[in-house]
Amino acid sequence: MEKKRNDDYETGPLPSPRSLDRFGFVKPDANTSEGVVKTSRSAYEYEKIKERRRVRKWRKMIGVGGSDWKHYLRKKPNVVKRRIRKGIPDCLRGLVWQLISGSRDLLLMNPGVYEQLVIYETSASELDIIRDISRTFPSHVFFQQRHGPGQRSLYNVLKAYSVFDRDVGYVQGMGFLAGLLLLYMSEEDAFWLLVALLKGAVHAPMEGLYLAGLPLVQQYLFQFECLVREHLPKLGEHFSQEMINPSMYASQWFITVFSYSFPFHLALRIWDVFLYEGVKIVFKVGLALLKYCHDDLVKLPFEKLIHGLKNFSEDAMNPDTLLPLAYSIKITKRLEELKLEYEKKNGKISRSGEISENEKPILPSIQSN
């Protein structure tokens, strides 16, 4: 995507600030009643007070520019985990995400690599990326301007990654990951966080979600289906009777880590935990949703069941209700057992039992292709 002068952007009508929510998304109904407005303003003021309190604690914890982060993490890991689960302050979210994901270290160890990938390399996926740009968070003001700063940044990050890892290249779901990151950090920071996630700087690599055949998606859906049967046997049996399998409703949960269709405030809270604790939170949230809606879902026939699994009620999507329920579900050991079962079933474990190359974490310093 060639650089354009500011006056070359196709401006188009942009929404007025009053029609945007606090995250920059266009509100679905601008004609809100006065009573609802008063309630939302009251709730917003309360949230601001809570946020200021959290910000003070977090600034003391991470230090200037994150200088105290590693020391505090070693000293008080349980405090860090508890505070992350309560929600990272929005004004610090971008910095903290980089610290907990390991992407800040990758950035510092690879100066100039991102610029090289964006400016001097070409990608076979460029046309696919351009085609999908307008489909990524289309209701967010940052991405609405055609060829504007948001769309250009998203293009650059996705193009750079498609060159950096030509085996993965570009897959449509990656746009929601990159788009979410760009709302909280610069292009280069977003790129290295994407690298940290897909290559496994801290947790297991995610690149299998986007490789040909979506091998990691298949593994996760197998694990999730087993967990549903074990934790929610009545619902699991109802799914079997109605011929419902997780690929019909849960694939996007894993591919976009809930950033595709979930309320943004909930997606952010999930991402806070996801970057710190890994993919198990996706399983936990999925199970918590099904558990919360269990009594309604077991009564629904196929067509209504499919609709219900893609359109959860507003109260089910309340992070202060859903996330504590998710945290209470213990699946870490069982997830590992099911992974080994899946790999054995599909012949993915070597005789020596060694981890395959694509599961090993990346080295700190990365060279571009």
Side-chain angles (χ1 to χ4, degrees), residues 174-190:
M174 294 167 62
F176 286 92
L177 272 65
L180 180 66
L181 298 177
L182 283 169
L183 297 179
Y184 284 90
M185 61 196 72
S186 69
E187 280 184 29
E188 189 172 16
D189 290 333

Side-chain angles (χ1 to χ4, degrees), residues 7 16 138 154 188 277 298:
D7 56 0
S16 68
L154 183 57
E188 189 172 16
E277 299 185 29
V298 293

